[in-house]
Amino acid sequence: MSGSPHDHHTPDLFDDAPEADPPSSPAQVNAHPALSDTGELLAICERWVTRGWLRDLDRALVRFLATEAPDAPPLLLLGAALASHQLGRGHVCLDLNATLNAPDFALSLPPEGDDLTDPPPLPSDVLATLTLTDWQAALNHPTLICSGPGNTPLVRSDSEHTTRLYLRRYWQYEQTLHQEIANRLTKKDGTEPDSTCRSQTCRAMGDDSRPGILPQALNTLFQPTTTLDWQKTACALAARNRFAIITGGPGTGKTTTVVRLLALLQTLQLAEADAQPLRIRLAAPTGKAAARLNESIAGQVSQLPFTALTTLWETDSLVVRHIGDDCGTEPLKDSIPTEVTTLHRLLGARPDTRHFRHNAANPLALDVLVIDEASMVDIEMMTAVLRALPAQAQLVLLGDKDQLASVEAGAVLGDLCRRAEAAHYTPETAQWLERATGQPLPPDYIDAQGQPLDQAITMLRVSHRFNEYSGTGQLAQAINQPSHAQSDQEKHQTVNQVLRHGYPDLHHLTLTDDAALDKLVIHGSSDKFINGGEGRTDHNGAPIAPPTGYCHYLNVLNAQRPRGASFEKNADAYNDWASEVISAYSHFQLLCALRKGPWGVEGLNLRIAKTLRHEKLLYGNDVTLEKGWYEGRPVLVTQNDYGLKLMNGDIGITLAVPDPRTPGKTLLRVAFPTSDPEKPIRWVLPSRLHAVETVFAMTVHKSQGSEFKHTALLLPPTINPILTRELVYTGITRARDWLTLVEAKRGVLNEAVTREVMRVSGAGG
C-alpha cells in the first residue's frame, strides 16, 4: 500500500459539474446495524456476493482493510467496497451524494428483480438513515484514507456538495491524466495555446505582407467552401498544439481529417531546413479498430496532393535542394504512415502484468501519436500512453464523444469533450483560426472565458454518411440530444416522429411473436421498407442493394463453393470463395444490449442457429449448434492472439474444405480476412481457437468501430441499467445503409433514450 512516486496534486482541467442537492436528513432511527458493526457489514457483503450483487474482489478488499485496521469505521469499509465495485461498472470513484440519492445503483442488482428466497437487504435498506455528513465524518482513518498524496489505499476528494472516494491507483490515474494534458496545453514558457503557438507553426503563419506555408498548405488540402469547413479548422488547431482532439459522429470525416493533418504536419516539418520527417505512429484500442483505420488510411493517402504541397517549400529547403524537383514528393509521401497498431503493441504489453515496456523511463520513439476510436480507451490505458509519450511529442485523439465509453473504468474522451458542442474558443483563438484558415468563426462558438482545453478540441459537425433524407441520421440526432436540452416527453415525441416519418432506410419493429424476429434474421424483412428496399442510391449515385438477413451469406457460401478442386492446389479459388462469404456476412448484423439471458447474445445465438437450421441453411444437432463447430458458424475473436495474428474483434466464418487425406470428406477451417493482398485469407483450425464466440448476435459494445450494411438493434423487453442513450446511439450508427430498430416490448426505447451513462470521475463530475 505504498504511495506512488508520481503522487501529486494537479490543477483540474474541467469545471466541476453541478452537484445535486444533498439528501434530506432523515431521523436517525432504526439505523441498519451494518453501519456501526463491522461483523454485520461483512455478513451483508457475503450475502451480496452470493447473490452476484457484489464481486468477490470487493469483499476481499473489505476483509483486508478490516484486518489491517480493526478500528476502521464500518462506514469507511462500506465506502471502500462500493468504490471498488464501481470500477467494475466503469466508474473511477464512488460519489457519496449520488449513492445516497440512488443507493440501489451502487450494486449490480438483477434488472428483473430477484425471486430467490431470503433476499439480502438492498443498499437502499442499509443506507436508509444515513446522511452525507455522517458518511463524510466516518471517512477519517490515517492508515486507510487521506486527501491527496500519501500511502493510504483510499483517497477522498471533497467538494461543496459531495465527497468522492477513490482507490488510490485510480485517483493517481486521474491526477496523472490531468497533469499530462495540462502540460501539453502549455508551452515551455508557461503560456497558453490561445496566446502563442508552437514556434514552427508561428513561423509558418507568415505575416500581413506574405502568407506563410500553414495557410497555403491548408488551402491546398481543402477546397474552398461557402460554409465553415470544420475539418480544415481541426487540422489548423491540431497543428498548433501538442495535444488535440478531433471528435464527431459517424460519417463526419474523422479519418479524412487526420490523413490531411498528417500531410500538413509533415509539410510544415520538411519545409524547415535540415529537418527530418516527423516520426508518426497510428494506434487504436483494439485489433478490429486498428484494421479498419488501416484500410481507411491506405486508400486516402494516395489521394493527397503531394506535388502541390511540395511546391510550397522554400527553394532553399534541404529536401528540394538535394532531391530535386522530379522526385521531391517522395519524402513527403513516404513520411505518411499507413500501418496501424494496437495500443497494447505500441506500448509493449508485458504478459500477465499491468505494466508496459514503454513508460516515463523508456518513452516511445515518436514525434506524433494518433489514437483512433479514443472513446474506447479507459483511464488506465490513457494514462499509460501519456506517461510513455516524450515531452515534446504531439498526441491527437480521434473519436465520437457520444459513443459508449470503454468497458473498463473511465470515460476519458467523453469527459474531455463535454464542452465541445459550444466550442468555447477564445477571441485570440478565433482570430488565429481566421488567419490560418480564412474562415471566420460564428459568434456562438466564441467565449472570452474559454478554457485552455477548449482551444485544443474540434467537433466535426457535418455528416457525409447521413443527410436529411436518412432516417438513421435523423434518429441518431434525435436520440443524441442531451437531457438538459429537452424534457423526457419532448425527446419521446422527437424520436417517435422520426420513427413514424417513413424514411426509406429505417424500419421500427415491435415484436408480437417469434415469427417477426425469425423473418428479420433470416431474410432481413425487406418488405417492411419502402418499395421493398429497391431504388435507393448512395451519395455517388451507385445503387444500394436491398436489406437482407443471414440467409444471404449462407446462400453465397453454398452457391459459390469451389467444386471438385483441391484445397491445397487451388488456394486462390478457396480464398476468393471465403472472401465473398465474409463480405456477404457483413451485409447484416443483429446487435443487442445484453450478454446473458434469452435476449442476450448467449440466448439469441442459439435461437438464431436453430432458426437457420429449420430453414435448412445450417446443419447440426442442438449440442453442436450450442457448443460445437459447424459450417457457416460465424465467430468473433474475444482476445488478442499474436501467434495466430488475430485481434480482439476479428470475425471469421467456419467453412468446410476438402480433406486431402480422405477423398470425398471435408474438414472445417475458419476463414479470417487479412490486409495482405498476397494472402487475403488466414485459414485457422477450429481447435486452435480458444477465445472465440458465435456472433449471429453481437453486443453493441463489441460492435464499436464496425459498420454493417443492414444493422438490426434489438432492445430487450425490460429496462436494464445498461440500456442508455449512448448504447442506443452507438448501436443504430453501426448501420451504413439500412436500420431495423427492434423493441421486444413497446416503450423500452422511450425509457432507454432518456437514460444517460453517468460515469463518475473527478473529471466528469
Side-chain angles (χ1 to χ4, degrees):
M1 295 193 295
S2 60
S4 166
H6 300 287
D7 279 354
H8 49 263
H9 281 300
T10 61
D12 197 346
L13 299 176
F14 320 95
D15 287 334
D16 278 336
E19 301 286 359
D21 292 333
S24 59
S25 300
Q28 296 298 309
V29 293
N30 298 324
H32 197 283
L35 301 183
S36 56
D37 186 314
T38 299
E40 290 285 347
L41 174 64
L42 290 172
I44 281 193
C45 288
E46 186 74 32
R47 296 181 68 188
W48 283 346
V49 169
T50 301
R51 234 27 183 266
W53 296 0
L54 195 71
R55 301 179 302 173
D56 282 320
L57 179 66
D58 311 323
R59 173 185 55 183
L61 174 64
V62 174
R63 286 178 172 173
F64 172 74
L65 296 179
T67 302
E68 291 290 305
D71 60 337
L75 277 175
L76 173 56
L77 300 178
L78 175 62
L82 297 180
S84 173
H85 190 67
Q86 298 319 293
L87 295 173
R89 306 176 72 213
H91 304 291
V92 175
C93 58
L94 177 74
D95 185 312
L96 300 191
N97 191 46
T99 301
L100 291 175
N101 283 330
D104 291 339
F105 282 100
L107 296 182
S108 299
L109 302 182
E112 299 179 28
D114 191 332
D115 58 0
L116 301 178
T117 59
D118 189 27
L122 292 167
S124 53
D125 299 328
V126 176
L127 302 179
T129 63
L130 185 62
T131 67
L132 179 61
T133 301
D134 290 337
W135 206 351
Q136 288 171 325
L139 302 184
N140 185 21
H141 193 286
T143 303
L144 299 184
I145 190 168
C146 68
S147 299
N151 61 358
T152 60
L154 303 173
V155 180
R156 65 181 290 172
S157 175
D158 297 300
S159 61
E160 183 180 358
H161 295 298
T162 193
T163 292
R164 297 186 181 96
L165 184 62
Y166 294 82
L167 271 62
R168 174 163 296 280
R169 180 152 54 90
Y170 285 85
W171 177 84
Q172 188 56 59
Y173 290 151
E174 197 170 272
Q175 297 298 302
T176 302
L177 179 75
H178 288 190
Q179 184 65 65
E180 290 289 341
I181 293 177
N183 290 344
R184 292 176 188 281
L185 293 175
T186 57
K187 310 310 171 197
K188 290 183 179 179
D189 59 2
T191 56
E192 295 182 352
D194 58 0
S195 58
T196 189
C197 56
R198 297 191 311 174
S199 59
Q200 176 184 321
T201 309
C202 287
R203 292 195 299 272
M205 281 290 287
D207 52 38
D208 293 338
S209 62
R210 178 187 177 191
I213 192 173
L214 175 61
Q216 294 181 72
L218 287 169
N219 288 335
T220 301
L221 288 164
F222 295 93
Q223 296 298 316
T225 62
T226 56
T227 58
L228 180 60
D229 189 335
W230 285 103
Q231 294 185 17
K232 189 176 186 181
T233 298
C235 286
L237 281 181
R240 191 186 190 205
N241 300 310
R242 285 184 294 154
F243 177 76
I245 297 176
I246 301 173
T247 186
T252 52
K254 294 185 291 294
T255 304
T256 300
T257 303
V258 81
V259 169
R260 295 179 185 181
L261 172 62
L262 300 183
L264 175 66
L265 294 176
Q266 291 289 25
T267 298
L268 298 179
Q269 175 74 5
L270 293 174
E272 296 281 312
D274 301 321
Q276 295 297 314
L278 293 168
R279 298 167 298 171
I280 299 175
R281 298 295 301 275
L282 308 174
T286 67
K288 183 69 172 179
R292 283 185 55 79
L293 181 61
N294 200 343
E295 294 170 3
S296 300
I297 284 185
Q300 294 193 32
V301 167
S302 61
Q303 301 174 19
L304 289 170
F306 291 111
T307 301
L309 289 171
T310 303
T311 59
L312 300 177
W313 294 341
E314 296 176 359
T315 56
D316 61 349
S317 166
L318 180 70
V319 176
V320 176
R321 186 176 345 122
H322 284 274
I323 296 179
D325 295 333
D326 292 339
C327 58
T329 63
E330 291 304 313
L332 181 56
K333 184 176 182 180
D334 292 344
S335 69
I336 309 296
T338 57
E339 181 180 351
V340 187
T341 187
T342 63
L343 288 173
H344 281 85
R345 275 192 166 178
L346 176 76
L347 295 176
R350 293 178 172 174
D352 303 320
T353 76
R354 308 180 82 104
H355 303 294
F356 298 96
R357 183 164 54 88
H358 290 289
N359 49 40
N362 180 31
L364 293 161
L366 53 77
D367 301 302
V368 179
L369 173 62
V370 177
I371 301 178
D372 193 25
E373 296 290 352
S375 64
M376 300 168 66
V377 183
D378 61 89
I379 193 169
E380 181 176 4
M381 176 57 78
M382 191 66 78
T383 301
V385 169
L386 286 164
R387 283 176 170 166
L389 280 181
Q392 296 304 315
Q394 187 170 0
L395 176 62
V396 180
L397 303 181
L398 295 180
D400 186 345
K401 67 180 180 63
D402 297 311
Q403 273 194 191
L404 281 169
S406 63
V407 176
E408 305 299 329
V412 177
L413 189 71
D415 286 342
L416 294 173
C417 291
R418 61 191 179 88
R419 287 164 54 92
E421 192 79 38
H424 298 284
Y425 297 134
T426 63
E428 291 84 357
T429 297
Q431 292 168 11
W432 187 91
L433 279 172
E434 185 169 1
R435 288 181 57 209
T437 66
Q439 304 177 136
L441 284 176
D444 288 349
Y445 298 125
I446 302 175
D447 178 6
Q449 304 302 315
Q451 301 170 11
L453 179 62
D454 298 328
Q455 317 313 305
I457 299 175
T458 310
M459 179 176 168
L460 306 180
R461 302 164 191 266
V462 179
S463 176
H464 303 284
R465 186 196 304 179
F466 303 134
N467 57 26
E468 66 270 24
Y469 305 109
S470 166
T472 303
Q474 295 300 314
L475 184 60
Q477 185 176 7
I479 288 172
N480 209 25
Q481 289 297 314
S483 58
H484 63 77
Q486 57 186 171
S487 68
D488 290 357
Q489 184 178 4
E490 289 171 333
K491 171 165 277 193
H492 295 163
Q493 292 174 346
T494 303
V495 169
N496 288 310
Q497 283 173 1
V498 174
L499 295 175
R500 292 193 300 264
H501 185 273
Y503 287 102
D505 61 329
L506 174 62
H507 171 49
H508 178 215
L509 170 64
T510 301
L511 296 180
T512 56
D513 53 41
D514 291 346
L517 182 60
D518 293 344
K519 181 180 178 182
L520 171 66
V521 298
I522 296 170
H523 302 292
S525 297
S526 60
D527 59 312
K528 301 298 183 181
F529 293 85
I530 294 175
N531 296 326
E534 298 282 357
R536 287 185 63 217
T537 58
D538 62 19
H539 62 279
N540 293 320
I544 295 175
T548 186
Y550 287 130
C551 71
H552 176 60
Y553 91 91
L554 292 169
N555 287 334
V556 170
L557 185 158
N558 288 308
Q560 299 190 22
R561 186 194 307 273
R563 306 293 177 182
S566 165
F567 178 58
E568 285 74 13
K569 294 181 180 179
N570 294 273
D572 289 345
Y574 280 94
N575 285 341
D576 291 344
W577 173 51
S579 296
E580 289 295 326
V581 174
I582 292 168
S583 175
Y585 174 82
S586 71
H587 285 211
F588 177 77
Q589 182 65 59
L590 179 68
L591 302 181
C592 59
L594 308 176
R595 287 203 55 80
K596 298 183 180 297
W599 300 100
V601 291
E602 293 179 1
L604 288 168
N605 275 319
L606 181 57
R607 172 179 172 173
I608 293 170
K610 289 181 177 179
T611 299
L612 294 171
R613 179 183 63 185
H614 183 266
E615 296 293 315
K616 295 183 170 48
L617 292 167
L618 292 179
Y619 298 92
N621 57 38
D622 287 355
V623 175
T624 299
L625 293 183
E626 183 175 9
K627 300 179 179 179
W629 289 92
Y630 51 88
E631 186 172 41
R633 181 191 179 193
V635 294
L636 175 77
V637 177
T638 58
Q639 294 178 13
N640 293 343
D641 188 327
Y642 296 111
L644 294 177
K645 297 182 179 179
L646 296 176
M647 297 291 108
N648 182 11
D650 285 350
I651 291 177
I653 306 293
T654 310
L655 299 173
V657 300
D659 184 350
R661 299 166 299 181
T662 309
K665 299 291 185 180
T666 59
L667 295 172
L668 292 179
R669 295 288 186 272
V670 185
F672 290 93
T674 76
S675 57
D676 183 356
E678 298 296 322
K679 297 181 179 179
I681 298 295
R682 181 170 290 107
W683 296 90
V684 182
L685 285 166
S687 59
R688 299 190 66 190
L689 295 170
H690 304 292
V692 295
E693 59 187 31
T694 305
V695 69
F696 289 120
M698 178 190 296
T699 63
V700 175
H701 268 102
K702 288 288 187 181
S703 74
Q704 286 182 264
S706 300
E707 65 177 25
F708 311 96
K709 290 187 176 182
H710 180 194
T711 297
L713 174 62
L714 172 61
L715 303 180
T718 55
I719 200 65
N720 183 292
I722 202 171
L723 287 177
T724 61
R725 166 172 70 90
E726 291 82 357
L727 180 134
V728 178
Y729 168 81
T730 302
I732 66 175
T733 54
R734 301 310 93 204
R736 194 174 80 186
D737 298 325
W738 308 99
L739 172 66
T740 300
L741 181 59
V742 186
E743 288 186 272
K745 182 179 179 182
R746 185 176 298 279
V748 174
L749 175 63
N750 281 344
E751 288 284 338
V753 299
T754 53
R755 302 169 74 245
E756 300 182 7
V757 172
M758 299 300 292
R759 287 282 175 99
V760 179
S761 73

